């Protein structure tokens, strides 16, 4: 059973659709493009987060040894004390020149651009896979032609041996025929190598781990006149402007550059921020004695810290018991809040804002030029593809006519050779011309098929139908 499964796995042949789908899932360049798309999504999340308030909590605990100022009492003390503080700060942008809004719009455009880049990469990979796939088909057909010619030469060799024995041809003609057989064997080997290399190229493009047994289905493409040839090159170009990804990328990059200019100009405007902070503190001190009223403030009780000559304010000790208040009680007594708004008006910052605006304008002009260049490139590619398809179809028709004539010529030459009216050299020349004509038919056939795929590609017809 395992042997049967192994043989079945090795005999699998890939269709064009399977090749394209596998490449889209495993190609390294596509994987990198997907990572770029994730980065664009993260940048969009950053832009959304800029609208939200910022909040930070702080806390600290310190030991003061020796003569230090007690942060709570404000007095110098020659002892070890501990101080704990905590706070919460909240800030929010109320207005900052609409920069946050422009950044969010820019992030949305950048995400769209990354999606277009991924689509463009997928389209290019699909086109490369189709080209490699057709190259394998061409090499397979060409190998069949060379093998058939080798078989013909071998039969001709056998026939020539009989003619030599009958005295119809000289021995030199037989030697020429044997040389033809050897040449045909070399051509078969070259065709086999070309087929192997084309398979290897496609397997590497598909990122296959093992490519020794890689093969594709023997698919025959019928050569028919493409309906797009009944269109004009201008109409195909107009359709391409609506569908082609590279033009969408250039347009999106242009819009991103426009948002960059708006963001840079936003730095000229004032910035209004709201803020709120909450803080509290507590300290650890010794036992308090000598409780009395503060002469400067009769409503405040002060006391002398035992073992020192320092006073401490009432909020940090219990005036009845003479002991420091519990930590959480001190936190409650010492809490405070601060809130308000802050207006920042830019006046001069070393021309940094102005230069940023100018740099953004330069980048915008570059994007405009890139968009115009992309339009020109697309127009040139469409007209070239349209002309190439028409020329390829004419070349294929001419190759068929030539092949038909070469076949008739070879049959005539063969008949003359067998009656001794033509030598082996002239017969070989006729055979070479026939072989070249057969190869040319194959070459022009697959060239027309691939160039038709390119033209359809510009018209918005995908290489394969998406599921």
């Amino acid at each position: 059973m395992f042997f049967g499964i192994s043989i079945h796995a090795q005999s699998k042949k890939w269709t064009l659709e399977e090749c394209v789908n596998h490449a889209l899932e495993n190609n390294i360049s596509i994987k990198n493009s997907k990572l770029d798309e994730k980065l664009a999504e993260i940048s969009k999340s950053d832009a959304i987060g800029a609208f939200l308030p910022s909040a930070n909590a702080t806390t600290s605990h310190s030991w003061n040894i020796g003569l230090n100022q007690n942060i709570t009492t404000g007095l110098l003390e020659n002892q070890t004390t501990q101080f704990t503080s905590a706070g919460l700060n909240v800030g929010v942008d109320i207005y900052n020149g609409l920069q946050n809004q422009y950044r969010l719009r820019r992030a949305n455009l950048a995400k769209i651009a990354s999606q277009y880049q991924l689509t463009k990469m997928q389209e290019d990979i699909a086109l490369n896979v189709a080209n490699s796939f057709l190259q394998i088909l061409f090499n397979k057909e060409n190998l069949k032609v060379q093998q058939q010619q080798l078989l013909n030469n071998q039969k001709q060799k056998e026939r020539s041996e009989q003619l030599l024995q009958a005295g119809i041809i000289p021995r030199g003609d037989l030697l020429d025929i044997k040389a033809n057989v050897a040449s045909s064997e070399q051509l078969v080997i070259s065709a086999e190598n070309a087929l192997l290399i084309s398979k290897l190229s496609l397997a590497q493009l598909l990122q296959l781990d093992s490519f020794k047994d890689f093969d594709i289905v023997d698919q025959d493409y019928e050569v028919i006149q493409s309906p797009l040839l009944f269109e004009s090159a201008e109409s195909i170009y107009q359709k391409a402007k609506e569908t082609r990804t590279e033009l969408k990328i250039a347009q999106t990059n242009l819009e991103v550059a426009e948002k960059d200019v708006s963001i840079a100009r936003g730095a000229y405007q004032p910035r209004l921020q709201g803020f709120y902070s909450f803080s509290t503190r507590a300290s650890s001190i010794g036992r308090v004695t000598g409780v009395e009223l503060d002469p400067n403030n009769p409503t405040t009780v002060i006391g002398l810290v035992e073992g020192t000559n320092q006073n401490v304010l009432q909020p940090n000790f219990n005036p009845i018991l003479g002991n420091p208040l519990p930590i959480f009680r001190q936190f409650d007594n010492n809490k405070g809040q601060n809130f308000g708004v802050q207006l920042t008006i830019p006046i001069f910052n070393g021309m940094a804002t102005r230069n940023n605006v100018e740099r953004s304008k330069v980048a915008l002009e570059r994007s405009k030029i890139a968009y115009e260049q992309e339009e020109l490139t697309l127009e040139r590619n469409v007209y070239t593809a349209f002309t190439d398809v028409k020329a390829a179809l004419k070349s294929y028709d001419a190759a068929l006519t030539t092949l038909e004539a070469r076949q008739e010529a070879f049959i005539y030459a063969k008949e003359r050779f067998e009656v001794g009216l033509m030598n082996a050299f002239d017969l070989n020349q006729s055979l070479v011309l026939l072989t070249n004509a057969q190869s040319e038919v194959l070459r022009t056939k697959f060239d027309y098929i691939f160039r038709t795929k390119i033209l359809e590609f510009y018209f918005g017809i995908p290489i394969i139908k998406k599921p």
Side-chain angles (χ1 to χ4, degrees), residues 100-374:
N100 288 345
Q101 287 84 345
Y102 290 130
R103 287 192 179 99
L104 178 58
R105 295 172 187 173
R106 185 193 187 282
N108 287 327
L109 291 171
K111 181 181 177 181
I112 294 174
S114 66
Q115 292 171 345
Y116 285 150
Q117 289 285 2
L118 176 59
T119 301
K120 179 66 168 57
M121 184 66 64
Q122 291 172 336
E123 291 172 344
D124 291 343
I125 293 298
L127 198 60
N128 290 336
V129 169
N131 184 28
S132 299
F133 190 91
L134 293 175
Q135 186 63 44
I136 294 176
L137 291 179
F138 166 74
N139 288 332
K140 281 188 172 185
E141 294 297 325
N142 187 55
L143 177 59
K144 292 178 182 179
V145 169
Q146 300 302 331
Q147 289 173 338
Q148 183 62 42
Q149 293 306 321
L150 174 59
L151 181 60
N152 293 337
N153 283 334
Q154 290 173 341
K155 292 181 179 180
Q156 188 63 40
K157 173 188 171 184
E158 296 174 357
R159 177 60 177 163
S160 297
E161 290 174 346
Q162 297 173 357
L163 295 176
L164 178 62
Q165 293 177 358
I168 299 177
I169 63 173
R171 182 173 178 79
D173 286 351
L174 177 59
L175 295 177
D176 287 338
I177 296 298
K178 289 182 177 180
N180 293 341
V181 173
S183 298
S184 294
E185 290 175 346
Q186 292 179 347
L187 292 176
V188 169
I189 294 174
S190 297
E192 290 175 343
N193 290 336
L195 177 59
L196 179 61
I197 292 174
S198 61
K199 287 183 179 180
L200 175 61
S201 299
L202 181 55
Q204 291 179 337
L205 188 60
L206 299 182
Q207 303 293 323
L208 295 180
D209 296 330
S210 176
F211 48 81
K212 294 181 179 179
D213 301 317
F214 173 75
D215 199 2
I216 65 173
V217 296
D218 296 327
Q219 186 173 354
D220 187 23
Y221 286 91
E222 183 180 359
V223 177
I224 58 175
Q225 185 173 358
S226 173
L228 293 181
L229 292 178
F230 296 102
E231 300 280 345
S232 65
E234 177 62 27
S235 64
I236 297 177
Y237 169 63
Q238 294 301 325
K239 180 67 175 180
K241 289 179 65 175
E242 300 174 1
T243 60
R244 289 307 307 138
T245 307
E246 55 265 32
L247 206 59
K248 294 179 181 179
I249 294 173
Q251 176 63 41
T252 306
N253 288 337
L254 176 59
E255 295 175 2
V256 168
E258 291 174 348
K259 292 298 179 291
D260 285 336
V261 174
S262 299
I263 293 172
R265 285 176 174 169
Y268 281 123
Q269 301 187 33
R271 182 179 184 183
L272 182 63
Q273 296 174 293
F275 62 88
Y276 170 82
S277 64
F278 171 84
S279 63
T280 184
R281 63 188 184 275
S283 63
S284 176
I285 58 177
R287 179 179 175 82
V288 179
T289 61
V291 177
E292 62 182 15
L293 293 177
D294 185 356
N296 298 322
N297 188 358
T299 62
T300 303
V301 179
I302 63 175
L304 180 65
V305 179
E306 185 177 16
T308 71
N309 59 354
Q310 302 300 329
N311 294 327
V312 61
L313 299 178
Q314 180 268 333
N316 294 311
F317 72 94
N318 189 326
I320 299 177
L321 301 178
N323 293 320
L325 289 177
I327 295 297
F328 292 103
R329 181 71 178 276
Q330 292 187 48
F331 280 140
D332 183 63
N333 291 343
N334 295 327
K335 63 185 178 182
Q337 303 180 62
N338 181 32
F339 57 90
V341 294
Q342 176 179 338
L343 180 64
T344 303
I345 301 176
I347 298 176
F348 183 74
N349 60 353
M351 301 182 71
T353 300
R354 176 185 177 277
N355 292 338
N356 286 336
V357 172
E358 293 302 317
R359 275 190 289 267
S360 299
K361 288 181 178 179
V362 171
L364 177 60
E365 290 301 318
R366 289 184 183 274
S367 297
K368 290 180 179 179
I369 295 174
Y371 179 78
E372 294 174 357
Q373 182 61 51
E374 201 63 53

